[in-house]
Amino acid sequence: MSIDAKSIDLKDRFGDFFYRNLERLRDGLPEYINNKREGAIQNFQKYGIPNKKVEAYKYTDLKPAFEKEYRTYIEPKKIDFDLNDIFRCDVPELDTHVVLLLNGWFYETKTPQKKLPNGLIITSLREAANRYPDIVEKHYNRYADSETESLTALNTAFAQDGVFIYVPKGKTMDKPVQIINLLMDEEDGMSQHRNLFVMEEETHAQVIVCDHTLSQKNFLTNSVTEVYAGQNARMDFVRIQNEHNGSTQLSNFYLNQERDSRVTANTISLHGGLIRNNYNLRLNGENCENNTLGLYLTDRGQHIDSYVHMDHAYPHCRSNQLFKGVLDDYATGAFNGRILVRQDAQKTEAYQANNNILLTDDARMNSKPQLEIYADDVKCSHGGTSGQLNEEAMFYLRSRGIPLKEAQLLLMYAFAHEIIGQIHIKPLQDRIHELIEKRLRGELSRCNYCQMHCGDAGKN
Amino acid sequence: MLTIKNLHASIEGNEILKGINLEVQKGEIHAIMGPNGSGKSTLASVLAGRNLFEVTEGEILYNGKNLMEMAPEERAREGIFLGFQYPVEIPGVSMMNFLKTAINEQRKHRGQEEMKSSDFLKMMREKKDLVEIDSNLTNRSVNEGFSGGEKKRNEIFQMAMLDPKLSILDETDSGLDIDALKIVAHGVNQLKSPDNATIVITHYQRLLNYIIPDKVHVLYDGKIVKSGGKQLALELEDKGYEWLSKEAAK
Ligand SMILES: Nc1ncnc2c1ncn2[C@@H]1O[C@H](COP(=O)(O)OP(=O)(O)O)[C@@H](O)[C@H]1O
Ligand SMILES: [Mg+2]
């Protein structure tokens, strides 16, 4: 069942594995999903795992992660204890619809999901694909690029499950949906789940995603999330990445926004071995607003790479990218933000900034803005800084009796606040503030437990 | 309390302080005057421990201890306070959190327990009244978006909160109108006690109408060229700083 790491070439390895297991991959899913698989694996094989010669992957070497041997989850893993006991949320004021993905598979909790009123749906992609084919088929693989993006193609070839959220026209999700991605096994594992969130016209929803590793094994995740935000939809998206150093997380986020819609996506990367976050954002109607924010805190040998492609296709849209990072020890990072303003997209406002604090001489950050502007009446800017903490501010704090270490913390905390302050779910904002503080104090380095403290996995 | 002997300091190879001698006793108020660029702020920074400046010669004793061996935060915990000429804006660090951290660090150093929240708030209210600082300012980030005058008041407010033994106020009067100046002076006078001392650095004589100094020193080109009683300030006001170039040449 596992992919043999020693075999010839990575892309052939995945190809062989794909054809050997094709029947099982197809099992239980409708044709409109299955008929995309073979084309996708061929596209993947055409490009292979992106190597450092690919411009967009210049600073991130995926090969070592892919060369490891993983158990691939083409069927759900039976887990012999009750996850319901583990995940009690300890952000008491944070009242959410919780769903779990265990190694990429939707986990049916013992307490059945309360049926949502008004035609709202939160369920597994598997179930949705069969029960709501009209909705799923209309959007599935419409925004994701399985043609030229080899990691996305790989996901499309293998995807079997994930989370599906649907908000029908004019409706509001009464409380945030919280998706908890758990990786837990006695063997190294690879997950390729696929999420689809469809927000029709005039809707409102908040989605929180938490990524966690619960056992000390190597994990590789290559996920795709497609989001459709219809006319005048409002969506807040918060993601907390907190996996251990043996994890590789490749996340491919595709967002399509229709006119007058407003989406804020906030990714907080507290911990992870290697993280690559791809954001493909298309503003596909007039007067859209998009805020894509990221905060990453890395130390030791961790690596994080954020890649943003902001596509302004229509006039009068506003986009704002802000990515901030604190890099300690010999951690490395990359930021590549591309803003494309198409010829018709007049009156575009597009901003981008990437600011980094390097705590040591060995920490490194590569930041690269790319503006491609074909319209003439636009306001665009980009800027980046990488450096130490402000010396003057440090002296001011210390001159009041605050020790060096504490002064550094205060300033890093303030640096992070610009991002955290924009999380619109207040109890979550407070909790993340706490987590950030702990993380900066170095109290979160053992992170094989769920740091949202939704419960205590250590008891098991 | 404070003894400065033959202090030389430089930045990037330029000597700014060229042999300063100064003796401050408990209970005294000293005024240091002098033209722009004479080294007043440099002296203040060196006393507070800013390592931007390199001390090349001389010594500073504070209550018998060698100040040069102490980090800025240690000096603060020993009771030294610098009121900055240009207070730094620190977005994202709330005034509350900043003051609480500062006070508790100092208390920890003295072996005291952390201050209770209610006591802290009570003290804030009292001291805010003393310097007539706008309540909203303490709900904001440190100095962020404060006007020039608000920043200066905030320095005195912090001084009141921290209750230092030796305060060095670097041009706390500049940029203030007369009313604000009176408030700042009132704050300083209120906090005066036989156990503490204050060094007021000023460019103008007018602050000294409200804060009566025991001694006045004139700093010129990195040296104290003249010291005297409070009448020296008036003399300076009359004759201007040009008079000093002649004094210095003597
Ligand atoms: N950070 C600095 N870098 C370089 N030179 C400085 C710096 N700070 C002060 N100086 C120089 O030191 C001299 C004294 O400055 P300062 O102490 O600020 O004078 P004052 O406060 O009396 O106006 C000036 O010539 C000034 O240019
Ligand atoms: Mg000065």
Side-chain angles (χ1 to χ4, degrees):
Chain A
M1 200 181 309
S2 75
I3 299 176
D4 178 9
K6 308 296 174 290
S7 75
I8 13 131
D9 188 79
L10 278 169
K11 58 188 184 212
D12 297 332
R13 216 169 88 191
F14 277 103
D16 291 349
F17 183 77
F18 174 83
Y19 287 109
R20 266 190 282 131
N21 291 283
L22 185 54
E23 278 321 299
R24 280 164 71 192
L25 291 169
R26 295 172 57 92
D27 186 41
L29 283 159
E31 193 51 26
Y32 68 85
I33 288 185
N34 287 331
N35 70 14
K36 302 198 167 50
R37 296 188 191 279
E38 286 179 69
I41 197 77
Q42 283 159 18
N43 289 336
F44 167 73
Q45 285 189 299
K46 194 153 96 196
Y47 299 104
I49 304 295
N51 61 31
K52 293 179 96 169
K53 288 189 203 119
V54 177
E55 186 61 25
Y57 282 85
K58 197 169 164 185
Y59 300 109
T60 298
D61 189 1
L62 298 178
K63 224 168 144 215
F66 273 95
E67 276 173 348
K68 291 194 184 104
E69 212 168 306
Y70 300 98
R71 178 189 193 279
T72 304
Y73 296 102
I74 54 177
E75 56 195 24
K77 169 101 179 175
K78 298 278 177 295
I79 287 285
D80 53 357
F81 60 86
D82 192 352
L83 273 172
N84 296 313
D85 292 343
I86 300 180
F87 289 96
R88 257 170 287 108
C89 207
D90 107 319
V91 194
E93 313 89 288
L94 184 61
D95 183 16
T96 58
H97 298 289
V98 180
V99 291
L100 300 176
L101 287 181
L102 177 61
N103 301 325
W105 289 83
F106 197 85
Y107 189 88
E108 294 293 345
T109 50
K110 281 193 182 153
T111 39
Q113 288 283 323
K114 216 176 63 204
K115 188 117 180 53
L116 292 166
N118 298 327
L120 288 116
I121 302 165
I122 305 171
T123 188
S124 69
L125 182 70
R126 253 182 124 68
E127 175 170 297
N130 291 303
R131 276 186 65 180
Y132 315 105
D134 294 351
I135 310 171
V136 178
E137 186 171 4
K138 193 170 155 200
H139 297 283
Y140 185 82
N141 208 42
R142 276 305 140 88
Y143 317 111
D145 175 4
S146 304
E147 296 292 319
T148 64
E149 288 294 331
S150 67
L151 293 176
T152 302
L154 186 66
N155 178 285
T156 303
F158 283 95
Q160 290 172 283
D161 205 359
V163 176
F164 175 76
I165 300 174
Y166 182 69
V167 187
K169 185 173 171 182
K171 302 296 184 235
T172 293
M173 190 64 82
D174 59 339
K175 50 188 180 182
V177 182
Q178 186 177 11
I179 300 170
I180 302 178
N181 286 319
L182 295 178
L183 293 168
M184 176 164 53
D185 205 340
E186 303 91 52
E187 321 166 65
D188 292 352
M190 173 165 173
S191 146
Q192 302 206 58
H193 59 272
R194 177 97 171 202
N195 301 322
L196 177 62
F197 309 151
V198 177
M199 311 261 307
E200 302 285 15
E201 273 173 54
E202 310 278 341
T203 51
H204 185 196
Q206 297 177 314
V207 176
I208 304 165
V209 180
C210 309
D211 301 312
H212 302 291
T213 38
L214 290 188
S215 58
Q216 285 294 358
K217 289 288 159 189
N218 294 316
F219 293 103
L220 172 64
T221 304
N222 177 43
S223 66
V224 168
T225 299
E226 290 182 276
V227 181
Y228 171 84
Q231 262 188 43
N232 203 26
R234 296 272 176 282
M235 190 175 194
D236 287 314
F237 191 84
V238 183
R239 179 164 194 179
I240 296 125
Q241 299 180 308
N242 196 2
E243 299 188 343
H244 61 54
N245 288 27
S247 72
T248 298
Q249 184 169 120
L250 312 172
S251 135
N252 304 282
F253 183 76
Y254 290 90
L255 167 68
N256 179 87
Q257 283 188 240
E258 295 299 323
R259 64 172 301 156
D260 300 321
S261 61
R262 195 167 76 212
V263 176
T264 297
N266 209 321
T267 306
I268 311 297
S269 310
L270 288 171
H271 215 286
L274 186 157
I275 298 176
R276 164 78 179 210
N277 289 325
N278 290 318
Y279 304 83
N280 291 276
L281 314 161
R282 183 174 162 96
L283 307 181
N284 198 41
E286 292 191 22
N287 194 33
C288 291
E289 180 181 316
N290 178 282
N291 300 295
T292 297
L293 311 156
L295 174 69
Y296 40 92
L297 309 171
T298 59
D299 59 13
R300 289 176 285 168
Q302 297 178 43
H303 178 78
I304 178 156
D305 182 347
S306 310
Y307 181 91
V308 185
H309 181 184
M310 182 77 71
D311 182 352
H312 280 264
Y314 283 82
H316 294 282
C317 293
R318 297 168 303 284
S319 73
N320 187 22
Q321 298 169 41
L322 177 60
F323 283 79
K324 299 184 90 170
V326 179
L327 291 87
D328 201 352
D329 303 324
Y330 42 97
T332 52
F335 172 79
N336 191 340
R338 181 162 175 247
I339 298 175
L340 169 64
V341 182
R342 293 179 193 260
Q343 199 167 5
D344 293 337
Q346 299 296 356
K347 304 281 180 196
T348 287
E349 279 182 50
Y351 305 108
Q352 179 191 90
N354 175 226
N355 303 316
N356 301 287
I357 293 175
L358 306 177
L359 293 175
T360 68
D361 291 339
D362 294 328
R364 253 182 309 117
M365 183 71 201
N366 286 291
S367 188
K368 189 172 122 192
Q370 263 178 290
L371 303 185
E372 261 180 70
I373 300 172
Y374 300 104
D376 41 35
D377 187 9
V378 302
K379 276 189 210 156
C380 291
S381 75
H382 65 84
T385 54
S386 280
Q388 271 95 47
L389 292 167
N390 182 326
E391 188 268 339
E392 253 189 293
M394 280 295 294
F395 178 64
Y396 192 81
L397 296 172
R398 293 175 74 192
S399 79
R400 300 305 186 238
I402 299 173
L404 179 81
K405 213 72 214 142
E406 204 66 29
Q408 285 177 333
L409 276 169
L410 277 174
L411 291 184
M412 286 193 275
Y413 196 59
F415 178 80
H417 180 77
E418 199 184 349
I419 304 277
I420 314 292
Q422 295 192 51
I423 292 174
H424 300 305
I425 306 162
K426 187 67 169 92
L428 183 64
Q429 189 193 94
D430 294 345
R431 182 72 186 127
I432 290 176
H433 263 308
E434 268 171 59
L435 286 174
I436 295 283
E437 187 170 349
K438 275 198 184 160
R439 176 70 176 83
L440 291 172
R441 282 183 191 281
E443 292 166 9
L444 273 194
S445 50
R446 285 186 57 212
C447 74
N448 47 332
Y449 304 132
C450 172
Q451 292 305 342
M452 288 308 291
H453 291 278
C454 302
D456 186 359
K459 279 185 199 137
N460 195 270
Chain B
M1 174 179 243
L2 180 75
T3 308
I4 303 176
K5 285 187 199 153
N6 190 31
L7 181 68
H8 290 252
S10 56
I11 182 161
E12 289 155 13
N14 290 329
E15 187 163 68
I16 312 289
L17 302 182
K18 303 174 180 172
I20 294 202
N21 294 293
L22 185 68
E23 179 87 39
V24 179
Q25 308 290 345
K26 270 188 192 174
E28 291 181 344
I29 295 183
H30 286 235
I32 296 180
M33 303 183 70
N36 276 334
S38 58
K40 303 185 295 294
S41 293
T42 303
L43 175 62
S45 294
V46 168
L47 289 175
R50 186 152 191 193
N51 58 11
L52 197 65
F53 302 95
E54 193 196 348
V55 173
T56 51
E57 225 186 305
E59 62 174 351
I60 310 172
L61 293 174
Y62 172 70
N63 290 332
K65 288 184 197 160
N66 180 359
L67 209 55
M68 301 315 301
E69 283 168 4
M70 292 156 75
E73 57 267 35
E74 294 175 81
R75 301 184 195 199
R77 291 181 222 145
E78 292 288 332
I80 292 182
F81 177 89
L82 169 62
F84 284 69
Q85 182 174 6
Y86 303 109
V88 190
E89 299 198 13
I90 314 181
V93 176
S94 74
M95 275 299 296
M96 285 282 229
N97 195 12
F98 162 63
L99 279 171
K100 229 188 214 154
T101 310
I103 285 179
N104 283 329
E105 286 296 341
Q106 300 209 8
R107 290 175 69 91
K108 198 153 77 181
H109 177 73
R110 286 183 233 124
Q112 294 168 303
E113 278 179 28
E114 280 204 1
M115 205 169 194
K116 274 195 296 191
S117 265
S118 53
D119 292 343
F120 177 77
L121 290 173
K122 187 163 163 262
M123 179 158 107
M124 286 253 296
R125 265 196 307 275
E126 280 171 22
K127 307 297 183 189
K128 270 201 290 209
D129 288 347
L130 181 73
V131 295
E132 299 179 29
I133 192 169
D134 187 339
S135 259
N136 292 325
L137 293 183
T138 50
N139 292 329
R140 306 221 311 241
S141 289
V142 176
N143 292 321
E144 193 188 24
F146 287 24
S147 72
E150 285 168 342
K151 283 181 183 161
K152 296 300 170 78
R153 262 189 236 203
N154 193 20
E155 294 297 291
I156 300 298
F157 171 60
Q158 290 172 45
M159 175 176 114
M161 290 290 285
L162 294 168
D163 190 22
K165 297 206 166 57
L166 174 65
S167 306
I168 304 149
L169 303 177
D170 189 0
E171 301 213 26
T172 304
D173 54 331
S174 57
L176 293 184
D177 61 31
I178 278 292
D179 289 339
L181 190 76
K182 280 185 190 162
I183 291 161
V184 166
H186 177 68
V188 172
N189 290 329
Q190 287 277 305
L191 296 168
K192 188 182 158 153
S193 86
D195 287 328
N196 60 27
T198 309
I199 298 175
V200 212
I201 293 172
T202 181
H203 188 74
Y204 307 104
Q205 185 273 337
R206 60 173 196 166
L207 178 67
L208 305 180
N209 293 334
Y210 306 97
I211 299 175
I212 311 299
D214 299 294
K215 297 226 170 82
V216 176
H217 311 275
V218 182
L219 190 63
Y220 188 84
D221 192 23
K223 276 188 242 165
I224 289 179
V225 293
K226 213 169 174 54
S227 295
K230 62 180 187 216
Q231 69 289 346
L232 178 56
L234 294 168
E235 206 172 332
L236 263 180
E237 184 87 337
D238 265 6
K239 299 186 184 167
Y241 283 119
E242 304 84 70
W243 161 62
L244 284 170
S245 48
K246 288 174 223 136
E247 291 289 305
K250 274 186 205 164

